[in-house]
C-alpha cells in the first residue's frame, strides 16, 4: 500500500508549502480528464495530509467531557459533612420561621 506522502512524492517532514507544491505538480502530471483515477487518488492524498495537519490543532481546541473518578470514601465523608450542616432541629426551624 502506498502512503499518501509517497503518492505525492514527498517526505512526511515536508512543509505545508512543499506539500501544496507537490500536489499541484502531480495535478499537472495527471490531469483529471486524462487520468481520472490517478487524479482522485492524488486529491485524496492531499486532502488527507492537509486535514491531518489541521486535525492536530482542532484536537487541541476540541471540548472534551471531564473524566474523573470519585473516591467512595471521600464522597461519603463529604456527604456526611453536608448532612451534618443540613440538620436542623424543630426549635431552630420554628425560631427561623417567626
Amino acid at each position: 500500500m502506498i502512503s499518501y506522502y509517497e503518492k505525492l512524492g514527498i517526505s512526511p517532514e515536508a512543509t505545508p508549502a512543499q506539500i501544496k507544491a507537490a500536489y499541484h505538480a502531480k495535478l499537472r502530471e495527471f490531469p483529471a480528464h486524462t487520468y481520472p483515477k490517478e487524479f482522485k487518488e492524488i486529491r485524496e492524498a492531499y486532502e488527507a495530509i492537509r486535514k491531518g495537519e489541521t486535525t492536530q490543532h482542532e484536537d487541541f481546541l476540541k471540548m472534551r467531557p471531564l473524566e474523573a473518578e470519585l473516591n467512595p470514601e471521600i464522597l461519603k465523608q463529604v456527604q456526611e459533612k453536608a448532612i451534618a450542616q443540613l440538620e436542623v432541629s424543630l426549635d431552630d426551624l420554628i425560631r427561623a420561621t417567626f
Side-chain angles (χ1 to χ4, degrees):
M1 179 178 162
I2 297 176
S3 75
Y4 293 135
Y5 291 99
E6 291 172 354
K7 191 67 166 166
L8 292 178
I10 55 174
S11 71
E13 293 83 25
T15 65
Q18 291 171 330
I19 294 169
K20 189 173 184 178
Y23 169 66
H24 288 290
K26 286 288 184 178
L27 289 183
R28 283 190 297 276
E29 186 178 341
F30 297 100
H33 61 304
T34 309
Y35 302 95
K37 182 181 174 197
E38 289 82 0
F39 178 84
K40 286 181 183 179
E41 291 173 355
I42 292 166
R43 179 101 175 130
E44 177 186 351
Y46 176 69
E47 290 296 322
I49 292 171
R50 193 174 64 85
K51 292 214 187 244
E53 291 171 354
T54 58
T55 301
Q56 293 172 357
H57 302 296
E58 291 170 358
D59 286 345
F60 179 75
L61 298 174
K62 183 189 274 186
M63 291 183 61
R64 295 181 190 94
L66 180 63
E67 296 176 11
E69 293 183 24
L70 298 174
N71 185 339
E73 294 175 15
I74 295 174
L75 185 60
K76 186 171 182 161
Q77 290 174 359
V78 170
Q79 184 179 15
E80 289 172 358
K81 286 181 182 179
I83 290 173
Q85 294 290 328
L86 292 175
E87 288 184 9
V88 177
S89 69
L90 184 58
D91 290 334
D92 292 337
L93 188 59
I94 291 173
R95 285 187 189 132
T97 305
F98 297 105

